[in-house]
Amino acid sequence: MNMDVQEYLPFLVPLLLLQLVLMLTALVMIIRQEHFKYLNKVVWIIIVLVLNIIGPILYFVLERR
Amino acid sequence: MNQMLPLFKKEFIESWRNFKFAAILIVFAIIGILSPFTALILPDILGMVMDDSGITVEIPESTTLDSYMQFFSNMNQMGLVIFVIVFGSILTHEFSRNTLVNLVTKGLKRTNVIVVKALFLMLVWTIGYALSALVAYMYTIYYWDEPVDHLVLAFAMTWVYGLFIISLILLASTLFTNSFIAVLFSVVAAVIVMLMAGIHPDAAAYLPQYLIGNNVGLLAGEIDPEDVLGSMAITAVLSLVFILLAIIRFKKVPMN
């Protein structure tokens, strides 16, 4: 199994990096934002942390207009 | 023209500031990486499941076609859906925030608004899709390195379908003005109508839906490039007509 992970690194590293960029950007924006249209700061942070890709996308669509 | 450039810039800055542009690029890049990856690990996963349940079946190694099959199924479903969700509100949010009123009363031509929105969405879609296709292509030639026929045309099919979806977004936005949900539903409704019309075999080959159902069929040689052209031409014409209708309708939308 260890062997397999090595083999898949060319996929996993960029995938993780891209998801991280998405998540971190959303988190920074949430922390800086004062007023939310839906939900509140804590809930948005949880959503972004738990649902990867979909969480940040939801945040950008619903809160950033 | 001198009205369009600032408008275009405004769209670009707006989608850059709210991170939608970058987000869609990231999501499309993820689709581009994920698709060959799924194709690569699927036989391994199947093998493990088979071993656990004690079945011994020879699982064929994945091929270039599997990789593209994953790419097109991800792109045509997840990619397009996310694109519509992220950029579907491009016109409706102007209505709901009344941001266009000042510009239009100060002499901004309404036609330009739609044209610029359409061009901007096309640009975002083209860049995002090209990025995704390129990433998937690079991984695929690196891991499998088997040539396939008509690859560019297969990629172009989904691209043209995306343009069609963009025209649908704009037309629905001008019809329902400030309701993003109505835009989402009308795009979904249009797709469902096309799927139902596609049940009839004679009509199926001429519907836009044909484009995103047959990417892999084209690569595998099940259909010929000529078979695609009919539906491609119809989709392109429909997109133009929808954008024209959107312009005509937008000129009559009351704004206050």
Side-chain angles (χ1 to χ4, degrees):
Chain A
M1 199 59 215
N2 241 344
M3 180 62 206
D4 284 358
V5 172
Q6 287 274 319
E7 196 183 321
Y8 296 145
L9 277 185
F11 291 101
L12 294 176
V13 171
L15 273 180
L16 286 178
L17 279 180
L18 287 173
Q19 289 192 16
L20 210 64
V21 171
L22 212 55
M23 187 187 284
L24 287 181
T25 323
L27 282 179
V28 170
M29 282 180 169
I30 292 172
I31 288 165
R32 281 188 184 167
Q33 192 170 342
E34 292 296 329
H35 303 286
F36 289 84
K37 208 170 164 178
Y38 311 92
L39 308 175
N40 59 34
K41 197 174 271 196
V42 180
V43 178
W44 271 120
I45 290 178
I46 293 171
I47 288 178
V48 166
L49 286 178
V50 173
L51 302 172
N52 58 48
I53 306 182
I54 306 201
I57 292 286
L58 274 181
Y59 168 73
F60 294 132
V61 172
L62 294 177
E63 293 289 351
R64 297 252 138 199
R65 296 167 167 262
Chain B
M1 199 60 215
N2 54 358
Q3 279 188 346
M4 282 181 174
L5 216 60
L7 257 186
F8 201 84
K9 226 166 147 185
K10 171 232 161 218
E11 288 303 331
F12 186 78
I13 292 172
E14 185 178 344
S15 67
W16 189 255
R17 294 249 169 93
N18 61 21
F19 205 67
K20 281 183 176 176
F21 194 3
I24 207 83
L25 289 186
I26 290 175
V27 169
F28 278 18
I30 287 177
I31 291 176
I33 302 170
L34 205 58
S35 307
F37 184 49
T38 320
L40 197 68
I41 61 169
L42 213 54
D44 291 2
I45 294 175
L46 275 179
M48 269 185 243
V49 174
M50 295 284 190
D51 282 348
D52 284 347
S53 47
I55 312 167
T56 43
V57 184
E58 199 62 42
I59 300 154
E61 283 287 301
S62 51
T63 59
T64 308
L65 270 187
D66 291 318
S67 172
Y68 287 127
M69 197 186 290
Q70 290 292 338
F71 174 76
F72 285 120
S73 79
N74 284 336
M75 199 63 192
N76 297 344
Q77 294 161 20
M78 203 165 67
L80 276 169
V81 168
I82 291 178
F83 184 78
V84 172
I85 290 175
V86 172
F87 282 101
S89 61
I90 191 162
L91 191 56
T92 50
H93 82 277
E94 305 263 18
F95 284 114
S96 52
R97 289 186 316 187
N98 283 328
T99 34
L100 281 176
V101 176
N102 281 334
L103 300 172
V104 169
T105 48
K106 289 275 182 333
L108 172 65
K109 284 213 180 65
R110 290 189 176 203
T111 312
N112 287 350
V113 176
I114 300 290
V115 172
V116 166
K117 299 259 182 206
L119 285 177
F120 178 72
L121 284 183
M122 279 162 71
L123 183 80
V124 173
W125 166 245
T126 308
I127 294 176
Y129 182 66
L131 175 75
S132 186
L134 200 67
V135 170
Y137 172 71
M138 303 252 257
Y139 273 109
T140 307
I141 52 168
Y142 182 74
Y143 278 89
W144 287 278
D145 196 23
E146 303 157 20
V148 281
D149 292 336
H150 313 306
L151 187 56
V152 176
L153 184 60
F155 278 133
M157 285 158 78
T158 297
W159 180 71
V160 172
Y161 188 80
L163 300 185
F164 172 70
I165 292 291
I166 289 170
S167 68
L168 260 181
I169 291 176
L170 288 173
L171 181 59
S173 303
T174 52
L175 289 176
F176 301 110
T177 60
N178 56 12
S179 172
F180 170 49
I181 302 296
V183 173
L184 276 188
F185 273 115
S186 44
V187 173
V188 172
V191 171
I192 291 174
V193 167
M194 285 190 293
L195 281 176
M196 279 161 55
I199 293 173
H200 197 285
D202 291 337
Y206 298 100
L207 290 170
Q209 211 64 23
Y210 187 76
L211 290 178
I212 59 165
N214 289 286
N215 308 82
V216 180
L218 179 71
L219 291 180
E222 286 160 16
I223 55 168
D224 294 324
E226 296 84 48
D227 300 341
V228 184
L229 295 178
S231 113
M232 216 167 195
I234 286 176
T235 310
V237 170
L238 267 182
S239 312
L240 267 179
V241 169
F242 281 177
I243 294 213
L244 284 177
L245 285 177
I247 292 173
I248 293 169
R249 162 76 189 153
F250 188 64
K251 281 185 173 168
K252 302 218 165 83
V253 174
M255 265 194 243
N256 43 31

